[in-house]
């Protein structure tokens, strides 16, 4: 079965710096990888999707990379702001199983002013 | 459209009681998913529906759990004879089966506490 892991330790960075979060997966089968943001007491909110044949995807200050050889995705937030503080979840989308998501445990990001 | 809604937002129940949660997805979404999330963990897949058909159930979903989606609209998740281990946030999400990004829209969740 697929397994997905994120750095469980919280990441603390200074405002304006780039935050980099890591997501590793095992037993990969053709799938897509998504990143979500979750604030306390709320449901996750979709940020980006990256497909297996894409190396990189960007959206405003966000960048996601996908290395199928390393079985790793990196999520970058450039010019980070205190409002970026949240938990970030990566998820494998199992396309041939109804699009269900297998989530990592999430990484809590704290951006200090 | 107001997004995915879930009711109730919080539920406290005594062990052994039955509880039922409701999810109202985005109206044009044909797929509906239930997940369970405990503190410090990511959501865990429980089950999903395409229209009114329940197409997959996780092994996490014991016989005490049942979900329905009559008429392919709202969905209910019932837990019978609740146990303390059932305490968690129950999240509902909906999506289009043919969406470009396969984005799932999550509701705010129902937080269940079993005492």
């Amino acid at each position: 079965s697929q397994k997905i892991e994120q750095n469980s330790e919280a990441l603390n960075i200074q405002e304006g710096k780039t935050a980099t979060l890591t997501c590793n997966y095992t037993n990969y089968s053709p799938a897509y990888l998504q990143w979500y943001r979750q604030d306390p007491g709320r449901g996750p909110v979709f940020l980006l999707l990256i497909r297996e044949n894409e190396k990189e995807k960007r959206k405003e200050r966000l960048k996601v990379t996908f290395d199928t050889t390393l079985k790793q995705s990196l999520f970058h937030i450039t010019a980070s702001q205190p409002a970026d503080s949240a938990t970030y979840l990566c998820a494998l989308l199992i396309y041939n199983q109804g699009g269900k998501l297998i989530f990592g445990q999430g990484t809590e990001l704290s951006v200090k002013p | 459209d107001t997004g995915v809604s879930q009711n109730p937002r919080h539920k406290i129940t005594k062990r052994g009681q039955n509880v039922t949660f409701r999810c109202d997805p985005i109206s044009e979404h044909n797929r509906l998913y239930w997940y369970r999330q405990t503190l410090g963990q990511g959501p865990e897949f429980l089950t999903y529906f395409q229209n009114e058909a329940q197409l997959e159930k996780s092994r996490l979903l014991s016989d005490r759990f049942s979900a329905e989606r009559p008429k392919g609209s709202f969905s209910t998740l019932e837990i019978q004879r609740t146990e303390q281990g059932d305490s968690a946030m129950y999240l509902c999400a909906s999506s289009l089966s043919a969406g470009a990004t396969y984005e799932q829209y999550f509701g705010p969740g129902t937080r269940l506490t079993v005492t």
Side-chain angles (χ1 to χ4, degrees):
Chain A
S1 62
Q2 292 86 359
K3 189 176 179 182
I4 188 162
E5 290 185 349
Q6 299 181 249
N7 288 347
S8 57
E9 291 184 13
L11 180 62
N12 298 300
I13 64 168
Q14 206 68 29
E15 182 176 7
K17 301 293 186 183
T18 296
T20 299
L21 285 66
T22 304
C23 177
N24 295 291
Y25 57 92
T26 60
N27 297 327
Y28 169 79
S29 61
Y32 304 159
L33 196 139
Q34 296 182 334
W35 284 87
Y36 286 78
R37 169 184 172 141
Q38 187 172 27
D39 291 285
R42 294 176 177 263
V45 175
F46 173 82
L47 296 174
L48 282 167
L49 164 79
I50 189 163
R51 295 171 173 81
E52 57 176 336
N53 61 349
E54 297 174 324
K55 297 292 185 187
E56 183 179 295
K57 185 70 72 71
R58 291 176 184 260
K59 179 182 176 183
E60 298 173 351
R61 295 183 295 110
L62 308 180
K63 184 178 85 171
V64 173
T65 62
F66 198 8
D67 188 324
T68 55
T69 301
L70 293 178
K71 296 187 177 179
Q72 183 179 82
S73 176
L74 298 179
F75 176 82
H76 307 272
I77 305 176
T78 58
S80 59
Q81 305 166 0
D84 295 326
S85 298
T87 294
Y88 291 86
L89 297 158
C90 67
L92 272 176
L93 186 151
I94 312 303
Y95 178 76
N96 59 358
Q97 293 181 34
K100 75 178 186 184
L101 297 174
I102 299 175
F103 282 92
Q105 69 270 46
T107 298
E108 185 179 352
L109 172 67
S110 179
V111 182
K112 303 296 184 186
Chain B
D1 186 85
T2 57
V4 178
S5 62
Q6 292 187 246
N7 287 289
R9 294 292 309 276
H10 302 275
K11 178 71 177 179
I12 301 174
T13 191
K14 292 186 187 299
R15 188 175 55 188
Q17 298 294 305
N18 299 344
V19 294
T20 300
F21 311 140
R22 177 178 170 127
C23 171
D24 287 90
I26 293 172
S27 57
E28 63 268 26
H29 285 183
N30 56 347
R31 284 186 176 168
L32 187 147
Y33 306 82
W34 284 98
Y35 295 86
R36 180 171 66 189
Q37 186 174 27
T38 54
L39 199 62
Q41 300 298 315
E44 293 177 293
F45 170 80
L46 293 178
T47 189
Y48 92 96
F49 293 83
Q50 176 135 336
N51 300 312
E52 67 275 9
Q54 186 175 20
L55 296 184
E56 184 173 348
K57 290 173 59 173
S58 165
R59 283 170 291 182
L60 293 173
L61 219 61
S62 76
D63 292 344
R64 296 184 298 105
F65 289 71
S66 62
E68 295 182 342
R69 192 184 182 197
K71 302 179 183 178
S73 57
F74 71 92
S75 176
T76 58
L77 177 69
E78 181 183 15
I79 309 174
Q80 296 182 327
R81 305 180 303 280
T82 52
E83 301 172 356
Q84 287 188 320
D86 297 331
S87 295
M89 175 77 85
Y90 290 83
L91 292 163
C92 173
S94 69
S95 74
L96 290 168
S97 57
T101 61
Y102 308 100
E103 172 181 357
Q104 292 189 14
Y105 294 79
F106 282 81
T110 295
R111 181 166 295 284
L112 173 66
T113 302
V114 182
T115 61

Coordinates of all heavy atoms in Angstrom, one line a residue, chain A residues 24 27 30 49 68 73 81 86 94:
Chain A
N24 N 7.8 12.6 1.3 CA 8.4 11.4 0.7 C 7.3 10.3 0.6 O 6.5 10.2 1.5 CB 9.6 10.9 1.5 CG 10.7 11.8 1.5 OD1 11.4 12.0 0.5 ND2 11.0 12.5 2.7
N27 N 6.1 2.9 -2.3 CA 5.2 2.0 -3.1 C 4.4 2.8 -4.1 O 3.1 2.7 -4.2 CB 4.2 1.3 -2.1 CG 5.0 0.3 -1.2 OD1 6.0 -0.2 -1.6 ND2 4.6 0.2 0.0
P30 N 1.2 4.9 -10.4 CA 0.8 6.1 -11.1 C -0.2 6.9 -10.4 O -1.3 6.5 -10.0 CB 0.3 5.6 -12.5 CG 1.0 4.3 -12.7 CD 1.1 3.7 -11.3
L49 N -1.6 21.0 -7.6 CA -1.5 19.6 -8.0 C -0.3 19.5 -8.9 O 0.0 20.4 -9.7 CB -2.7 19.2 -8.8 CG -2.6 17.9 -9.7 CD1 -2.7 16.7 -8.8 CD2 -3.6 17.9 -10.8
T68 N 10.2 11.7 -9.2 CA 9.8 10.3 -9.1 C 10.9 9.3 -8.9 O 10.6 8.2 -8.5 CB 9.0 9.9 -10.4 OG1 9.8 10.1 -11.6 CG2 7.7 10.7 -10.5
S73 N 8.6 15.0 -3.1 CA 8.1 16.3 -3.5 C 8.6 17.4 -2.5 O 8.6 17.1 -1.3 CB 6.6 16.3 -3.6 OG 6.1 17.6 -4.0
Q81 N 5.4 35.0 4.7 CA 4.7 36.0 5.5 C 4.1 35.3 6.8 O 3.7 34.1 6.7 CB 3.6 36.7 4.7 CG 4.0 37.3 3.4 CD 2.9 37.6 2.5 OE1 1.7 37.4 2.8 NE2 3.2 38.2 1.3
A86 N 0.6 27.9 9.1 CA -0.4 26.9 9.0 C 0.2 25.5 9.0 O 1.4 25.4 9.0 CB -1.3 27.1 7.7
I94 N -4.9 8.9 -5.7 CA -5.0 7.6 -6.4 C -6.0 7.7 -7.4 O -7.2 7.5 -7.2 CB -5.3 6.5 -5.4 CG1 -4.4 6.6 -4.1 CG2 -5.1 5.2 -6.0 CD1 -2.9 6.6 -4.4

